[in-house]
Amino acid sequence: LRTNERAATKDKHGDDLPRYAGHLFADADGTFPVDMNDWERAVVEAEIARPGFVAWYRNPGTATPASLRIAYENDAGDWASLQPDVIVVSRRDDGMFAASIVDPHGDHLADARAKLRALAAFAARFDDRFIRVESIAKGSEGALRVLDLREAAVRDAVLAFTGGKVTALYDDQPARPYP
């Protein structure tokens, strides 16, 4: 992480951005300005309220040295990187700190399935290093649903999925309501 993080404080209309507590780069008043969509806001608010919460980080959406990046191959065979939206630091029951990857993830982008598969493969390889690796999306009924990618059955379902819209995975098993 950079030690001199800068953040916009105004949106494109000149209005103040909402401020959230607990960000790794919070200012002296303990808040950090972030422009997020409604899914991201709901996720951050739910994560801040969880027992054991310590801090969160808004992972940059572009591939930078300050972002967690997960390589994936898209349907055209080109390589790209997924930057999961939120990294959460929590205190485990044993008192140690650990991180979770929490990624609000819709199917509005053409590479949604490839990104979800990449996150599932990453979770299979590194799940012992994280408290949670979760992908969150709105199901077809509009409620937020979560795929817990640390669970082998969930990963298997994601990796085997061949449909066009990943919303189908969130509408059925193996997804559950979030939070």
Side-chain angles (χ1 to χ4, degrees):
L1 298 176
R2 298 183 299 218
T3 58
N4 62 344
E5 181 74 15
R6 290 181 166 200
T9 58
K10 306 271 185 191
D11 66 16
K12 64 184 176 184
H13 306 292
D15 297 324
D16 288 339
L17 288 173
R19 301 179 69 82
Y20 295 87
H23 193 278
L24 286 176
F25 290 110
D27 60 14
D29 74 355
T31 64
F32 188 79
V34 186
D35 186 15
M36 296 186 286
N37 65 35
D38 62 333
W39 296 17
E40 293 164 336
R41 279 191 301 276
V43 166
V44 167
E45 290 167 1
E47 294 301 321
I48 289 170
R50 282 187 188 269
F53 170 82
V54 174
W56 67 283
Y57 177 63
R58 175 62 165 105
N59 197 34
T62 56
T64 71
S67 60
L68 171 64
R69 297 178 289 177
I70 299 170
Y72 73 95
E73 189 174 6
N74 65 23
D75 292 339
D78 298 322
W79 285 93
S81 67
L82 157 68
Q83 289 77 233
D85 287 344
V86 180
I87 312 300
V88 178
V89 178
S90 301
R91 188 176 300 276
R92 297 187 317 198
D93 291 340
D94 65 5
M96 300 297 292
F97 293 114
S100 295
I101 295 173
V102 182
D103 189 33
H105 181 94
D107 65 4
H108 58 282
L109 300 174
D111 58 357
R113 183 179 61 199
K115 287 180 176 179
L116 185 56
R117 285 181 175 168
L119 190 57
F122 180 87
R125 185 170 177 194
F126 299 108
D127 75 327
D128 62 328
R129 298 182 187 182
F130 294 92
I131 296 174
R132 293 177 291 129
V133 178
E134 297 179 339
S135 180
I136 299 162
K138 284 187 178 179
S140 59
E141 294 183 9
L144 287 176
R145 309 261 305 156
V146 61
L147 293 170
D148 181 349
L149 298 171
R150 288 196 65 219
E151 292 184 19
V154 175
R155 289 192 306 267
D156 292 346
V158 167
L159 295 171
F161 182 74
T162 58
K165 293 285 189 180
V166 296
T167 303
L169 288 165
Y170 297 92
D171 281 341
D172 202 3
Q173 293 293 25
R176 60 176 166 69
Y178 177 83

